[in-house]
Amino acid sequence: MNFSDSELIETLLSEQGLGRAAGESEADLILINTCSVRAHAEQRVMGRLRALKKLKDRRPEILLGVCGCMAQRMGEDLLRELPWVDLVVGPDSYRRLPGLVSRAGRDNPVQAAELVLDRAETYHGILPRRRDEVSAWVPITRGCDNFCSYCIVPYVRGRERSLEPEAVERQVALAVEGGAREVVLLGQNVNSYRSGPTGFAGLLRRLESVPGLARVRFLTSHPRDLSDEIVEAMAGCGKVCEHLHLPVQSGSDRVLEAMNRGYTRDYYLDRVRLLRSRVPGLSLTTDILVGFPGETAEDFGRTVSLMKQVCFDYAYTFRYSPRPGTAAAGLEDSVPEQEKKRRLQQVIDLQLAHTRAALDSMVGAEVEAMVVKPARSGQGKYLARTRGHFSVILPAESSQVGRVVRTVVTAHTGMSLVAGAGCDT
Ligand code: 5AD
Ligand code: SF4
């Protein structure tokens, strides 16, 4: 979401004639887009902002701004704590950025904060400049109403709102016109997308008819809102990829309830069964959060057993950190850091084994892969992605970027598949 918001910010500023600088030392304006979801992400931003003080001392005319969730959370405290920061701008105030920048340029930097959370702001009508040509992000909802007890997002991104389906379709069509072949629909909980009569399933069905679009993906799904109708839309829409990121967080009903997730372990497993029967070959990824307040060894064991039962293709794993203002911040952070680390390592190791098994099972298979960009290793190798979102390294040419090819997997590296040259589908 933040990558996508950065594209939005760049678009708004470019409409005012600003262009991208070659690097930090040449920039007149430096904006840092921030995440508040974990304390660690914020600490890194603080470190970066402290380091930028030196640059600011040397060139006081530079404007330094902080955007995103951390700007929203800390607001004017950030300006007080780091007086060399000029602007703090929350996620619903980006339309004000061009004005702020030109005013600051006129009046010499004066500190300013724009922090209103706007229930109606969907950035309707702004067509972001895209950096990645093959795959385009299209935000369809903003904000979140779920209030999972550990999560700060509802407080810093405000209430959930959806972009009208016509506007989504227009954004998708324009992305395709600009060279994209795949779109990734974005939102904190895309499954609860609703605009008038159109829900998320309806939106997926609508995008089937966009000419030139090869693939549709979406992030993030909430198990509670993953209705049968959405599963059917996934099964029935040829463009929708067989990949679902479905954060489970924990395998213990007691912890799930304390997290206010709105589902049980059995319900989650039931969704997985339905998905796997209706969407053959589905690749399933998740988020796991360990060390939530009160998580006992037995609760943690339930998470491990759920992971073994489902065998996720990949999992993003996190160690709980209390976030100010959330419901869980009022609970005793009872699991010692050492124990959180141990539990985290255990789920990381287990997931590595499961990912490896998933990759092993694909060796020898023919896959459909979309060529994305030159691989980091260079030498005529390109990065491609399967419909299940596995990375594939294969020989290709620049003219093939954006094309979907058929290829046979010959090996894997533990993280990516390796394949021979593909032929066009
Ligand atoms: N501590 C650790 N991880 C968190 N996440 C959200 N809030 C916290 C927190 N307070 C994780 C969840 C979520 C992912 C984006 O970040 O697993 O799904
Ligand atoms: Fe946070 Fe829960 Fe909303 Fe995801 S669904 S953004 S975890 S409150």
Side-chain angles (χ1 to χ4, degrees):
M1 195 55 129
N2 264 359
F3 274 111
S4 165
D5 276 357
S6 296
E7 287 183 343
L8 176 80
I9 291 169
E10 186 174 349
T11 307
L12 286 163
L13 292 172
S14 70
E15 281 167 6
Q16 192 170 295
L18 275 79
R20 185 173 266 273
E24 210 167 78
S25 52
E26 282 126 81
D28 302 310
L29 167 69
I30 298 176
L31 295 176
I32 302 206
N33 200 1
T34 60
C35 172
S36 278
V37 107
R38 283 170 294 278
H40 180 65
E42 289 199 348
Q43 285 151 9
R44 284 179 47 201
V45 172
M46 292 305 271
R48 183 84 186 276
L49 288 170
R50 290 209 165 88
L52 281 169
K53 178 170 191 299
K54 283 201 201 85
L55 188 66
K56 204 51 204 201
D57 285 344
R58 247 192 358 259
R59 289 180 54 210
E61 71 283 6
I62 293 180
L63 268 187
L64 178 58
V66 180
C67 303
C69 298
M70 194 175 157
Q72 189 68 40
R73 189 183 79 72
M74 293 185 66
E76 284 163 11
D77 287 349
L78 194 64
L79 296 178
R80 269 189 293 274
E81 213 174 303
L82 307 177
W84 59 93
V85 171
D86 303 298
L87 308 171
V88 290
V89 185
D92 284 348
S93 302
Y94 297 145
R95 286 187 200 266
R96 299 210 166 80
L97 249 174
L100 280 175
V101 170
S102 58
R103 197 168 353 126
R106 227 179 19 246
D107 302 347
N108 279 326
V110 262
Q111 289 189 314
E114 286 288 353
L115 302 163
V116 175
L117 285 175
D118 181 344
R119 281 168 178 266
E121 181 60 280
T122 56
Y123 293 108
H124 183 110
I126 302 173
L127 298 165
R129 294 184 152 206
R130 319 237 179 234
R131 277 177 226 168
D132 188 326
E133 291 188 358
V134 173
S135 188
W137 291 298
V138 178
I140 61 166
T141 69
R142 296 185 71 86
C144 184
D145 290 347
N146 287 317
F147 291 93
C148 300
S149 63
Y150 52 80
C151 184
I152 201 161
V153 167
Y155 303 92
V156 289
R157 284 191 167 261
R159 299 290 58 76
E160 183 184 289
R161 59 222 102 124
S162 299
L163 190 65
E164 295 82 1
E166 297 76 20
V168 174
E169 196 174 332
R170 201 164 45 244
Q171 291 247 2
V172 171
L174 276 159
V176 172
E177 250 172 60
R181 300 273 290 134
E182 169 182 283
V183 290
V184 187
L185 308 176
L186 293 180
Q188 310 300 337
N189 173 10
V190 288
N191 297 157
S192 63
Y193 172 91
R194 173 141 308 271
S195 175
T198 311
F200 187 60
L203 188 68
L204 291 180
R205 287 193 294 263
R206 189 174 176 135
L207 295 180
E208 279 296 282
S209 57
V210 177
L213 177 67
R215 289 179 170 185
V216 175
R217 299 184 185 282
F218 49 87
L219 274 175
T220 297
S221 289
H222 192 301
R224 190 199 52 219
D225 298 313
L226 185 79
S227 62
D228 292 4
E229 193 196 357
I230 294 174
V231 177
E232 285 316 309
M234 287 183 73
C237 295
K239 293 185 180 177
V240 175
C241 287
E242 293 78 16
H243 170 221
L244 188 68
H245 184 65
L246 195 64
V248 66
Q249 314 296 358
S250 169
S252 154
D253 283 345
R254 221 177 55 77
V255 174
L256 286 171
E257 191 175 349
M259 287 177 165
N260 192 29
R261 288 290 289 175
Y263 55 85
T264 59
R265 172 195 180 96
D266 280 350
Y267 172 85
Y268 186 91
L269 291 172
D270 173 69
R271 291 291 88 186
V272 171
R273 261 190 303 275
L274 177 70
L275 280 159
R276 286 190 165 150
S277 71
R278 296 298 299 131
V279 189
L282 180 81
S283 145
L284 194 62
T285 56
T286 199
D287 290 350
I288 302 277
L289 176 49
V290 304
F292 184 80
E295 184 189 70
T296 62
E298 195 189 333
D299 291 320
F300 176 65
R302 305 278 290 156
T303 299
V304 171
S305 82
L306 179 131
M307 288 176 75
K308 287 183 180 161
Q309 218 168 320
V310 176
C311 256
F312 293 104
D313 292 281
Y314 191 77
Y316 297 88
T317 51
F318 306 101
R319 192 152 49 101
Y320 171 75
S321 67
R323 305 309 294 127
T326 59
L331 304 172
E332 190 200 343
D333 189 9
S334 59
V335 183
E337 278 317 295
Q338 261 326 92
E339 179 57 16
K340 281 187 195 164
K341 282 188 186 155
R342 199 195 61 75
R343 291 181 190 178
L344 185 69
Q345 195 56 52
Q346 193 177 333
V347 295
I348 290 173
D349 292 344
L350 180 61
Q351 187 52 51
L352 273 175
H354 288 166
T355 300
R356 195 165 263 284
L359 293 168
D360 281 345
S361 75
M362 293 173 80
V363 174
E366 190 183 64
V367 293
E368 217 182 271
M370 182 183 280
V371 183
V372 177
K373 59 182 176 191
R376 259 188 248 139
S377 55
Q379 298 166 345
K381 294 285 168 60
Y382 278 72
L383 169 73
R385 282 200 204 283
T386 67
R387 288 179 64 92
H389 209 238
F390 285 97
S391 300
V392 189
I393 306 297
L394 45 68
E397 286 166 15
S398 58
S399 62
Q400 284 180 297
V401 170
R403 290 225 204 121
V404 176
V405 298
R406 291 203 150 275
T407 179
V408 175
V409 177
T410 52
H412 70 77
T413 64
M415 279 316 263
S416 313
L417 299 166
V418 179
C423 47
D424 287 346
T425 50

